[in-house]
């Protein structure tokens, strides 16, 4: 691996006698790891990620694209080191919290957070670049949690919601030194000047979003880089300039996690020669108390006497329907946890929403077309639909958005499953079934494997 000279000059003195071990690790293959959904109920046998009870290492990297259970949201392909943020949440997060994942795309950390929150907690996942926000929305929809809102906003705009969030994760855009083994482009793009620009950009992002964190709220700060400027120095800046307390996170010695390079910063560093994963930095901070910060955002809903109600037959599409508020946006109908509905109203009034809660479907004339969000929701009432369990080849055809022929199935909307896990809907019209899989989600690759891909086996 041809590392930049300036990177070597800056990094070698930090590691000293460990430098050769790091170089050896960077010359080895990058490990592949996945994290299972807690809600989908699919298990796997294998080597666990030590700091994440749903994380597993795989012996080799399979063709995830051609595993229908991947598209069903049964697991997420996530770098193992970054799963560590769950430790901080388990140790410090309280019940019924509002969490913001500020730089969330493509969704690895957001899906992890979603699994750790209870049903009355809210997760807001943001991505400032619209195309990446759409990918984030797709991945959060596949994960199936009903208490999630995906937004597409600048940090400064979100920062106007002063004191709204209990927890904010800033997985900051960085110079990517920790991804050198995994991404050759990160090496060619690296420079000292770029690292310094990243530090400045990270500080702007932090300053913009800081007002949205309530007093005593938690800030989770992480990067995938090694240098001091983007890590310890930025944590010191948050502590000294924004007013925060740096908190320790419990770790076990056998995990191989390294301490901070600054004695007064109890942060965590991941190096690939000591932990099975890529380079990663993590610090946890608590915001100091402030006077006069509004944290009560409750407001009366706009209840109209003549508001159109969704017929009960469609409310029956989800489980525990009594816990949800059903409301229209355009021709589509949504369900969101009643306890959190006021918060969703606030977000809709001030931010750019990409997706929210469970989209049940939309009316076209008298026909109600069920949505993909419903099919993948963890609250889907499977018994409300006729189901058809596909074999692997049929599932791949469906995910490529090809027309299907379903033998001995009634006309109407059919819920397709694979290994009894919901995948999506078709409308069976007799001689064929119209494929309702989202066009933008379809598998585009034509290099279909000859044999079945089963990551979970």
């Amino acid at each position: 691996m041809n590392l930049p000279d300036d990177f070597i000059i800056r990094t070698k003195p930090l590691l000293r006698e460990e430098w050769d071990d790091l170089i050896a690790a960077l010359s080895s293959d990058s490990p592949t790891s996945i994290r299972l959904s807690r809600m989908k109920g699919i298990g796997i046998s294998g080597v666990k990620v030590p700091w994440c009870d749903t994380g597993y290492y795989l012996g080799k990297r399979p063709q995830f694209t051609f595993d229908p259970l991947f598209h069903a949201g049964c697991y997420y392909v996530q770098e193992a080191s970054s799963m560590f943020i769950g430790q901080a949440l388990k140790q410090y997060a309280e019940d019924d919290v509002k969490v913001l994942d500020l730089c969330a795309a493509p969704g690895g950390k957001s899906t992890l957070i979603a699994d750790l929150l209870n049903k009355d907690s809210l997760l807001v996942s943001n991505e400032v670049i619209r195309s990446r926000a759409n990918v984030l929305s797709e991945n959060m929809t596949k994960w199936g949690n009903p208490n999630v809102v995906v937004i597409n906003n600048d940090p400064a705009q979100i920062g106007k919601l002063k004191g709204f969030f209990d927890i904010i994760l800033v997985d900051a855009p960085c110079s990517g030194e920790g991804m050198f083994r995994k991404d050759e482009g990160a090496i060619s793009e690296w420079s000292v000047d770029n690292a310094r620009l990243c530090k400045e950009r990270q500080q702007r992002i932090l300053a913009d979003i800081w007002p949205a964190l309530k007093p005593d709220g938690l800030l989770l700060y992480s990067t995938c880089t090694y240098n001091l400027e983007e890590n310890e120095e930025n944590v010191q800046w948050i502590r000294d300039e924004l007013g925060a307390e740096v908190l320790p996170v419990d770790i076990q010695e056998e995990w191989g996690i390294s301490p901070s390079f600054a004695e007064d910063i109890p942060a965590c560093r991941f190096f690939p020669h000591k932990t099975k994963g890529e380079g990663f930095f993590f610090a946890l901070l608590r915001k100091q108390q402030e006077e006069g910060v509004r944290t009560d955002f409750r407001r009366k809903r706009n209840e109209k006497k003549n508001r159109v109600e969704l017929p009960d037959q469609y409310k029956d599409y989800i489980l525990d329907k009594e816990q949800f508020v059903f409301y229209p946006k355009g021709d589509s109908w949504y369900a969101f946890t009643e306890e959190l509905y006021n918060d969703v109203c606030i977000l809709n009034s001030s931010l750019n929403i990409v997706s929210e809660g469970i989209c049940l479907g939309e009316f076209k004339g008298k026909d109600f077309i069920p949505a993909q969000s419903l099919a993948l929701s963890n609250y889907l009432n499977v018994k409300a639909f006729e189901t058809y369990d596909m074999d692997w080849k049929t599932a791949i055809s469906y995910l490529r958005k090809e027309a299907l022929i379903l033998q001995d199935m009634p006309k109407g909307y059919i819920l397709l499953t694979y290994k009894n896990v919901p995948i999506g809907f078709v409308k069976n019209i007799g001689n064929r079934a119209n494929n309702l899989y989202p066009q933008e989600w379809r598998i585009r690759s034509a290099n279909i494997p000859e044999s079945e891909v089963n990551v979970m086996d």
Side-chain angles (χ1 to χ4, degrees), residues 215-232:
D216 277 340
L218 299 175
L219 174 73
L220 288 69
Y221 178 75
S222 64
T223 73
C224 57
T225 200
Y226 299 126
N227 65 70
L228 295 174
E229 292 96 326
E230 298 177 71
N231 295 323
E232 282 87 351

Side-chain angles (χ1 to χ4, degrees), residues 105-123:
K109 297 178 182 65
S110 276
T111 54
L112 187 155
I113 294 170
D115 266 357
L116 295 176
L117 299 181
N118 65 25
K119 64 181 180 63
D120 291 327
S121 292
L122 175 70
L123 172 61

Side-chain angles (χ1 to χ4, degrees), residues 70-317:
F70 169 67
H71 297 276
C74 292
Y75 62 90
Y76 193 97
V77 184
Q78 184 178 7
E79 197 281 306
S81 298
S82 67
M83 299 179 191
F84 181 76
I85 65 165
Q87 287 296 315
L89 292 174
K90 289 178 182 179
Q91 184 175 345
Y92 287 98
E94 299 178 354
D95 293 336
D96 300 352
V97 291
K98 293 193 282 287
V99 183
L100 170 66
D101 185 356
L102 182 65
C103 312
K109 297 178 182 65
S110 276
T111 54
L112 187 155
I113 294 170
D115 266 357
L116 295 176
L117 299 181
N118 65 25
K119 64 181 180 63
D120 291 327
S121 292
L122 175 70
L123 172 61
V124 179
S125 300
N126 177 67
E127 172 54 47
V128 68
I129 301 172
R130 182 56 197 239
S131 59
R132 287 171 55 83
N134 291 335
V135 174
L136 172 63
S137 177
E138 175 184 341
N139 286 328
M140 298 312 297
T141 299
K142 289 176 178 177
W143 209 246
N145 292 60
N147 53 344
V148 176
V149 178
V150 176
I151 63 174
N152 171 221
N153 286 92
D154 291 322
Q157 183 66 29
I158 307 171
K160 295 178 181 179
L161 292 174
K162 294 185 178 180
F164 186 81
F165 293 101
D166 302 282
I167 301 170
I168 295 178
L169 166 63
V170 179
D171 183 43
C174 68
S175 59
E177 297 165 355
M179 303 300 288
F180 280 177
R181 174 171 60 172
K182 196 173 183 180
D183 180 7
E184 292 183 2
I187 299 176
S188 61
E189 295 171 4
W190 186 91
S191 70
V192 173
D193 287 342
N194 185 45
R196 289 171 180 163
L197 287 172
C198 286
K199 175 186 179 179
E200 295 170 359
R201 179 172 59 175
Q202 290 153 1
Q203 291 183 358
R204 288 196 300 271
I205 291 171
L206 290 162
D208 284 343
I209 201 61
W210 191 249
L213 183 63
K214 77 172 189 179
D216 277 340
L218 299 175
L219 174 73
L220 288 69
Y221 178 75
S222 64
T223 73
C224 57
T225 200
Y226 299 126
N227 65 70
L228 295 174
E229 292 96 326
E230 298 177 71
N231 295 323
E232 282 87 351
E233 290 182 15
N234 264 348
V235 174
Q236 290 170 338
W237 181 85
I238 299 168
R239 181 191 64 192
D240 299 338
E241 297 298 323
L242 299 181
E245 175 191 6
V246 188
L247 302 174
V249 179
D250 294 338
I251 60 175
Q252 297 181 25
E253 184 177 353
E254 59 267 25
W255 294 351
I257 298 171
S258 300
S260 164
F261 288 132
E263 292 184 359
D264 60 337
I265 301 293
C268 300
R269 280 182 168 272
F270 291 70
F271 291 99
H273 64 285
K274 298 181 72 174
T275 57
K276 192 174 180 180
E278 305 303 336
F280 188 66
F281 173 90
F282 178 81
L284 177 68
L285 302 99
R286 176 185 286 132
K287 188 174 186 177
Q288 300 296 325
Q289 281 285 352
E290 295 177 275
E291 296 295 331
V293 177
R294 177 189 177 193
T295 58
D296 182 10
F297 285 85
R298 290 287 177 183
R299 74 176 193 183
K300 187 177 180 180
R301 295 185 216 141
N302 183 20
E303 299 286 0
K304 297 181 179 179
K305 293 182 179 179
N306 297 324
R307 190 176 71 179
V308 177
E309 289 289 336
L310 182 68
D312 286 341
Q313 68 187 92
Y314 305 121
K315 293 180 181 180
D316 289 338
Y317 286 173

Side-chain angles (χ1 to χ4, degrees), residues 51-52 68 78 99 182 215 345 386 388 408 413 429 454:
W51 44 86
C52 180
Q78 184 178 7
V99 183
K182 196 173 183 180
C345 291
E386 293 281 350
Y388 181 89
D408 302 322
Y413 292 104
I429 58 175
N454 279 318

Side-chain angles (χ1 to χ4, degrees), residues 40-42 64-75 375-376 380 382 387-399 415-425 451-457:
K40 301 284 185 178
I42 301 295
F64 294 111
T65 299
F66 293 99
D67 180 9
L69 294 182
F70 169 67
H71 297 276
C74 292
Y75 62 90
L376 300 179
L380 168 68
V382 175
T387 60
Y388 181 89
D389 199 51
M390 301 177 288
D391 59 24
W392 178 76
K393 286 187 176 180
T394 305
I396 296 302
S397 295
Y398 174 73
L399 294 168
L415 176 65
L416 301 183
T417 62
Y418 174 74
K419 297 185 176 181
N420 296 315
V421 177
I423 300 291
F425 291 105
S451 58
E452 185 173 341
V453 176
N454 279 318
V455 174
M456 309 303 286
D457 288 349

